[in-house]
Amino acid sequence: MFGFSKKRDREDVIANNWMYLNRIPKRSIAIASLNFGDLLCLYPNGKVYHWDHEVNDLYFDMTVRNGYLEQNLDLKLVANSFDEFLTKIIKTEIEDFDPNVPYSDDYIDFLMNDSKYFFMSSKKNNSGVFKKIRTF
């Protein structure tokens, strides 16, 4: 779920709503991201909907100069109220999870055996790999 940040980063509710301005339905507020680009949107009536970026986003229409295809506003209902939405959030436990070490030994071995995958990974992700390597 988005919060409020002085940095106005990708976890900030205001920054995200500016980024998706005119892409998500009017009168809705993006409150969370999921599935690599999808959003959960809250409406003034309290209902929460799933905005699928592959179905509901605006798309450029190649047949019309500076035009867009009509936006699909048929979002999937997630919850009839914000309270109901909050009850659907569950905590999951991951066995042997260490938040300081985001990668399994098998994944690190995979990266080390094929350097192109290691260097294609983001700098942020690689820092976790380095932490894990230093612990050996």
Side-chain angles (χ1 to χ4, degrees):
M1 289 191 63
F2 300 136
F4 294 96
S5 169
K6 291 180 182 177
K7 297 178 188 176
R8 298 279 194 253
D9 60 10
R10 68 176 181 227
E11 299 297 323
D12 182 71
V13 70
I14 296 170
N16 273 284
N17 279 278
W18 270 107
M19 185 169 63
Y20 287 97
L21 188 66
N22 297 322
R23 292 175 61 195
I24 61 174
K26 289 179 176 42
R27 301 188 68 224
S28 69
I29 298 170
I31 59 169
S33 66
L34 59 143
N35 301 335
F36 305 103
D38 294 355
L39 298 170
L40 292 178
C41 295
L42 176 66
Y43 279 76
N45 63 4
K47 292 185 179 185
V48 179
Y49 288 87
H50 174 229
W51 179 84
D52 184 332
H53 75 280
E54 292 182 9
V55 175
N56 305 113
D57 205 351
L58 291 172
Y59 290 99
F60 190 69
D61 186 352
M62 299 294 280
T63 62
V64 179
R65 183 180 172 108
N66 297 323
Y68 289 88
L69 297 172
E70 189 172 327
Q71 188 177 21
N72 178 350
L73 298 176
D74 187 25
L75 279 61
K76 295 176 192 155
L77 180 66
V78 173
N80 285 308
S81 70
F82 189 71
D83 288 339
E84 179 187 337
F85 166 70
L86 292 176
T87 65
K88 292 182 177 195
I89 298 173
I90 58 169
K91 179 180 178 183
T92 57
E93 297 290 332
I94 300 172
E95 192 174 314
D96 298 327
F97 177 72
D98 181 352
N100 297 315
V101 185
Y103 298 105
S104 68
D105 293 336
D106 292 337
Y107 185 67
I108 292 172
D109 289 340
F110 168 74
L111 289 175
M112 292 305 169
N113 288 328
D114 197 338
S115 61
K116 75 177 179 186
Y117 291 109
F118 180 76
F119 290 106
M120 286 173 28
S121 297
S122 73
K123 191 180 214 180
K124 181 181 175 187
N125 290 342
N126 287 343
S127 66
V129 173
F130 290 132
K131 281 184 194 175
K132 179 90 174 201
I133 292 170
R134 282 193 295 258
T135 62
F136 287 126

